[in-house]
Amino acid sequence: LLEQAGIAEATVQLRKDADDYLCAYVVGEGELDGERIRENLRSILPSYMVPSYVVQLEALPLTRNGKLDRKALPKPEFEGSVMYEAPYDEIEQCIADTFSEILGVSPVGVQDHFFERGGHSLRAARLVNRLETQAGLRLSVRDVFAYPTVRLLANRAKEMKGSRPFVPIPAQKVLPYYETSSPQKRLYVIDRMQPGTITYNMPEFIQLKGKLNVEKLQQALQALVDRHEPLRTSFEIQNGEPVQIVKHKVHFELEYEKGTHQHMASAMKTFIRPFDLTVAPLMRAKVWQMDEDDAIFMMDFHHMIYDGGSVPVLMRDLQYLFEGRTLPKLRVQYKDYSCWQNERDLSEQEQYWASELSGDIPVLELFTDEPRPKEQRFDGSSIPFQLSKETKEAVRKLSRSTGATDYMILLSGFMLLLSQCSGQEDIIVGSPISGRVHADTENMLGMFVNTLAIRGELSASKTFSELVHQIKEKCLKAYENQEYPFERVVDQFAGQRDLSRNPVFDVMFTLQNNEFSTLALGDLILKPVEYPFEIAKFDLTVSMRETEQGYDLHWEYCTALFHMDTIKRMAAQFEELLKNALRDPNQILGAISIVNPYEKHLILNQFNATDTAYPSDRSVIDLFHSQAALTPDQPAVVSGEEQLTYHELEQRSSRLAEQLRRAGVERGDYVGIMAERNTHTITGILAILKVGAAYMPIDPKYPDQRIAYMLKDSGSKVVLIGDQKPEALKADEVTTLSMLTS
């Protein structure tokens, strides 16, 4: 700060007025430009070290002892602040107040930047909803990105046609049943196809420290059920369609059991069990009492009535009800939203998704440790991984220059990782979004979340900066068209369903915003309890959460496809890729490495140390003939309990070589061979070499598209097979010979 032009003295203080923020107090000649000072600091300091406000003083206040008098330093909105500028008119005041409310910071001036003060895409959506409710200003999320300060956003609002009255969601009449939303329809079908599953359970576990009044908690939970209709909703089929049945009254019973710390994990696992969608409530709760002042509070919900955006609503209401506070009655509930949503004209949004997903939808072909099952499995596990504070600072630096959020930048890096791991340039990643597009939904429970298909084009000649700009634009357009249900995207554009995969995409990248990270129940001390919920709805789901130390990543993967070591290696490669990409965002994607220096040394030196002495004047086949003549009855190859002598291997490979000749294989041809770990593969390799051809090993676990590409690219017309014959080998132009009959 003292290195900035014109500043003679300075101090920076952490103020704790309405919220924690840094404030710089400076002394200098003439009038100093606080915003220019902050801009200069942004180029040399991480964002969290840049003062939110710069206040110019004639002199720093001192105590009698000549020390800085911190108590005498003024608040920035009062004396002498050259950075803070108060709202000028009603619209600016409304937007500034809403910034403050959404971001939890104060004061907010007209030059304050929404994203620099802690905003992100979810908060931007809440800002848009709140401004429409309170002032009739119907802005878009894109407007918040394009005009991120209070003044710019106010000017944008004035440029538009002016305010319009807020149109609330209409309340439905009391009926025997109501239509379901699109997400509910999809989950209902899945539940019918997979009865007894816990794939769409949403469990939560909280440690309670202190003396718990169980009866009081029971009453609060019953009041919660009475307040929120989704907790009194069940589902049935009427006229061939699933419908919601909202009961007027449902009794809720809090389970209670005394136990020990040693059996806590077992109790948590047992607590998670399937729901019957025809019986309300689709929620259960239990207290596992370990000591008089130590218990675990367990809750579980079916995804049909609950989503991630419902968590803060439920936790807040439970706290208020437990503490005896009064909550305002909800004017409308989820059934009203679903009826309103189903009536919306989304034809323009449908056109966007039709354009975005036109042509063949790319299928991500990551290398898996296990062959993909014919029908999708949901067995899962997860690993944690941390990205450093230095990586976060580099992300923020790129964010300032591109206008992209942290999520957009990390999503760009994740897509590049998938591209490098698969060799594909057309990548689709799923991105969940809250789906609460109307302000009336903010205090509702329900299944609002929608999933956006973000499609990236990652040609090797693009720079990383260009990729970030592309993904930013893709995200903003997706946000503008987020109301179009993913279920309709699948029905309209996904094509024929592959039962071994998810439709449209197999990989998700999510942002955990932690909008409400604290929960209180009276005097009890509450702490979330991590539980390894061994379910994976996708091949791979990576969740990111910002922390003071950087980013916490949660890598959830399908154990039917991947081993833990593979995912750990992928997470480390993601870190290395980000580090290299952020070091110079203007480098082309093809030059960005995922291999760290140690791995590079291993690959180039240790793994590649293959120099050895051999008789270079003789061929491999000639050497094998000599060895077979010298030791015909000695073991030549062993695989488990199977064993071949040199004589047996010589005879079998010669018979197979003759079959290859009769099939038309000539010297210099390429012959494919299904490379399995057994003696037949060695027989096949020798047979191909005896003909004078070259062998091309093919992993039977490869996807059919990859096998077909390898055969076409190599010109192979003959393939040696073992126990497996992939679909790609059933074409008429490919001749297959069995190694088992040689």
Side-chain angles (χ1 to χ4, degrees):
L1 194 57
L2 289 170
E3 292 176 354
Q4 302 302 306
I7 296 180
E9 296 180 79
T11 182
V12 178
Q13 300 295 317
L14 177 63
R15 296 200 64 96
K16 295 178 178 290
D17 300 326
D19 191 68
D20 293 359
Y21 62 94
L22 290 177
C23 183
Y25 297 90
V26 298
V27 176
E29 295 182 2
E31 184 175 330
L32 299 174
D33 186 337
E35 186 55 36
R36 177 169 294 180
I37 292 170
R38 293 178 73 245
E39 195 63 39
N40 292 340
L41 293 176
R42 285 192 196 102
S43 65
I44 57 176
L45 292 175
S47 59
Y48 67 91
M49 295 180 67
V50 177
S52 299
Y53 299 94
V54 178
V55 178
Q56 185 174 359
L57 304 174
E58 291 184 4
L60 295 178
L62 303 176
T63 65
R64 292 181 180 179
N65 298 326
K67 296 182 179 180
L68 179 67
D69 188 354
R70 291 180 174 83
K71 293 181 179 179
L73 293 169
K75 289 184 179 180
E77 69 266 35
F78 298 143
E79 303 171 30
S81 168
V82 298
M83 186 275 168
Y84 175 80
E85 185 178 346
Y88 176 74
D89 55 29
E90 187 178 347
I91 291 181
E92 287 187 352
Q93 186 65 59
C94 176
I95 293 175
D97 291 345
T98 310
F99 269 37
S100 180
E101 182 183 354
I102 297 290
L103 301 176
V105 297
S106 179
V108 173
V110 295
Q111 302 301 335
D112 278 344
H113 192 291
F114 183 78
F115 297 101
E116 290 185 7
R117 295 302 302 269
H120 45 62
S121 57
L122 177 58
R123 286 177 170 171
R126 290 176 57 204
L127 174 71
V128 165
N129 285 340
R130 202 69 58 85
L131 289 174
E132 182 180 23
T133 305
Q134 297 176 353
L137 301 174
R138 188 53 188 171
L139 299 162
S140 67
V141 172
R142 179 184 286 276
D143 287 330
V144 182
F145 276 86
Y147 309 99
T149 69
V150 171
R151 174 147 292 165
L152 290 174
L153 199 58
N155 290 339
R156 171 62 175 166
K158 294 169 188 175
E159 288 173 4
M160 301 173 74
K161 293 183 179 180
S163 300
R164 62 179 183 180
F166 171 67
V167 180
I169 292 175
Q172 298 295 308
K173 296 178 181 178
V174 177
L175 298 171
Y177 56 83
Y178 305 87
E179 57 189 294
T180 55
S181 63
S182 288
Q184 286 180 328
K185 285 189 176 88
R186 179 174 64 90
L187 291 187
Y188 188 87
V189 171
I190 292 174
D191 185 79
R192 296 290 291 267
M193 294 174 60
Q194 303 169 4
T197 181
I198 60 171
T199 304
Y200 288 94
N201 284 41
M202 297 188 66
E204 296 170 20
F205 301 95
I206 301 170
Q207 184 179 26
L208 307 178
K209 281 287 190 179
K211 194 166 184 179
L212 171 66
N213 187 328
V214 178
E215 183 179 353
K216 193 175 178 182
L217 181 58
Q218 164 71 53
Q219 293 171 354
L221 288 167
Q222 182 63 61
L224 197 67
V225 172
D226 295 341
R227 173 175 172 78
H228 290 285
E229 287 183 355
L231 302 181
R232 293 181 272 116
T233 298
S234 58
F235 298 86
E236 293 182 6
I237 293 290
Q238 293 287 343
N239 301 320
E241 291 289 333
V243 295
Q244 306 179 65
I245 299 176
V246 181
K247 294 179 173 57
H248 177 68
K249 185 72 176 178
V250 169
H251 175 69
F252 186 82
E253 188 66 37
L254 172 65
E255 302 173 34
Y256 180 85
E257 186 177 352
K258 290 186 176 181
T260 64
H261 290 84
Q262 291 80 4
H263 296 98
M264 182 180 73
S266 175
M268 292 163 69
K269 184 175 182 179
T270 306
F271 175 71
I272 304 172
R273 52 193 189 273
F275 285 100
D276 180 353
L277 297 186
T278 65
V279 180
L282 298 178
M283 164 195 178
R284 58 178 67 101
K286 180 176 182 175
V287 171
W288 178 261
Q289 192 82 51
M290 296 173 290
D291 292 312
E292 185 179 354
D293 61 350
D294 190 6
I296 299 296
F297 179 39
M298 311 179 192
M299 291 186 291
D300 195 10
F301 307 83
H302 197 283
H303 204 7
M304 289 279 282
I305 63 160
Y306 196 73
D307 62 6
S310 300
V311 176
V313 177
L314 181 133
M315 293 300 190
R316 180 201 61 205
D317 286 2
L318 180 60
Q319 174 189 346
Y320 282 22
L321 294 168
F322 183 83
E323 295 172 354
R325 291 194 256 177
T326 302
L327 288 166
K329 185 178 179 180
L330 295 173
R331 187 186 64 81
V332 287
Q333 304 238 19
Y334 186 79
K335 71 174 191 309
D336 306 297
Y337 161 79
S338 58
C339 294
W340 170 81
Q341 179 67 18
N342 290 339
E343 294 297 320
R344 301 267 289 161
D345 180 7
L346 301 176
S347 55
E348 289 188 10
Q349 297 194 25
E350 180 178 342
Q351 291 176 12
Y352 167 76
W353 290 110
S355 172
E356 183 65 10
L357 299 176
S358 61
D360 293 335
I361 293 181
V363 177
L364 182 63
E365 299 289 7
L366 292 175
F367 289 101
T368 60
D369 298 303
E370 302 293 339
R372 184 176 291 276
K374 291 184 179 179
E375 290 191 8
Q376 189 177 8
R377 290 173 54 183
F378 302 99
D379 309 309
S381 188
S382 61
I383 63 164
F385 195 86
Q386 286 76 42
L387 296 177
S388 67
K389 183 180 287 187
E390 290 73 24
T391 299
K392 178 180 171 182
E393 291 167 359
V395 168
R396 290 291 168 84
K397 182 179 179 181
L398 184 58
S399 174
R400 288 192 293 271
S401 64
T402 60
T405 63
D406 294 16
Y407 174 79
M408 295 170 181
I409 294 171
L410 291 179
L411 174 59
S412 301
F414 184 62
M415 282 191 171
L416 180 55
L417 175 73
L418 297 176
S419 176
Q420 294 204 8
C421 289
S422 66
Q424 298 169 248
E425 293 185 346
D426 192 1
I427 303 287
I428 297 180
V429 173
S431 175
I433 194 162
S434 71
R436 295 173 183 255
V437 295
H438 195 288
D440 280 349
T441 63
E442 284 195 10
N443 294 313
M444 288 185 195
L445 298 187
M447 172 55 166
F448 297 93
V449 66
N450 196 17
T451 308
L452 307 177
I454 308 298
R455 189 171 189 173
E457 300 163 10
L458 293 92
S459 61
S461 59
K462 268 192 176 76
T463 67
F464 186 70
S465 182
E466 289 171 340
L467 175 62
V468 170
H469 280 288
Q470 177 201 143
I471 298 305
K472 174 191 172 185
E473 187 63 23
K474 293 268 189 176
C475 286
L476 290 176
K477 286 183 177 178
Y479 297 159
E480 291 173 348
N481 296 278
Q482 64 171 289
E483 290 185 69
Y484 196 74
F486 179 68
E487 293 70 31
R488 292 197 210 171
V489 171
V490 173
D491 292 341
Q492 295 289 331
F493 315 118
Q496 187 174 356
R497 178 71 194 274
D498 181 350
L499 294 179
S500 70
R501 295 178 175 274
N502 286 284
V504 185
F505 52 80
D506 290 302
V507 174
M508 291 272 282
F509 192 76
T510 73
L511 170 65
Q512 301 294 335
N513 286 306
N514 293 331
E515 287 297 285
F516 295 84
S517 58
T518 59
L519 168 67
L521 290 177
D523 296 329
L524 296 170
I525 299 174
L526 279 69
K527 180 182 177 183
V529 177
E530 294 292 333
Y531 176 77
F533 192 39
E534 297 175 346
I535 294 291
K537 299 183 184 72
F538 296 87
D539 292 1
L540 182 64
T541 299
V542 179
S543 305
M544 62 163 281
R545 180 173 65 89
E546 181 188 344
T547 67
E548 290 185 5
Q549 292 74 35
Y551 303 101
D552 283 347
L553 301 183
H554 182 82
W555 292 70
E556 178 186 278
Y557 60 96
C558 178
T559 53
L561 298 174
F562 299 106
H563 297 165
M564 182 179 290
D565 288 345
T566 299
I567 301 303
K568 286 182 177 178
R569 184 168 59 252
M570 188 178 289
Q573 290 172 338
F574 183 47
E575 179 182 38
E576 184 67 22
L577 180 148
L578 280 175
K579 190 185 304 180
N580 294 331
L582 294 169
R583 186 180 296 119
D584 178 14
N586 292 318
Q587 62 185 308
I588 61 171
L589 302 183
I592 300 174
S593 174
I594 63 174
V595 180
N596 63 43
Y598 175 70
E599 290 177 327
K600 187 174 182 179
H601 172 75
L602 287 178
I603 294 169
L604 296 180
N605 298 289
Q606 294 188 27
F607 295 165
N608 203 37
T610 56
D611 292 343
T612 187
Y614 66 96
S616 57
D617 58 334
R618 301 176 64 188
S619 69
V620 172
I621 296 303
D622 189 21
L623 292 170
F624 177 75
H625 284 321
S626 299
Q627 187 64 38
L630 185 64
T631 57
D633 299 321
Q634 291 295 316
V637 56
V638 178
S639 177
E641 297 182 357
E642 191 179 6
Q643 177 176 296
L644 292 178
T645 65
Y646 277 96
H647 176 72
E648 290 170 329
L649 184 57
E650 170 81 333
Q651 294 297 312
R652 292 189 182 188
S653 60
S654 294
R655 288 196 296 270
L656 187 57
E658 184 57 33
Q659 292 182 51
L660 288 169
R661 291 189 185 95
R662 289 200 296 268
V665 176
E666 299 178 349
R667 188 178 188 86
D669 286 349
Y670 289 95
V671 177
I673 178 170
M674 303 308 291
E676 302 174 74
R677 288 182 174 272
N678 54 40
T679 59
H680 304 299
T681 298
I682 303 302
T683 302
I685 291 173
L686 280 172
I688 294 169
L689 294 177
K690 285 183 176 182
V691 178
Y695 68 90
M696 179 179 66
I698 302 172
D699 190 333
K701 294 187 293 185
Y702 281 167
D704 290 335
Q705 289 178 326
R706 182 172 179 82
I707 294 175
Y709 171 78
M710 293 174 69
L711 295 175
K712 180 180 178 181
D713 189 58
S714 65
S716 300
K717 300 298 182 182
V718 178
V719 178
L720 299 180
I721 63 171
D723 295 322
Q724 302 182 49
K725 185 177 181 180
E727 290 291 330
L729 300 182
K730 295 180 181 179
D732 294 338
E733 60 266 21
V734 179
T735 300
T736 58
L737 298 176
S738 175
M739 295 181 285
L740 306 182
T741 58
S742 59

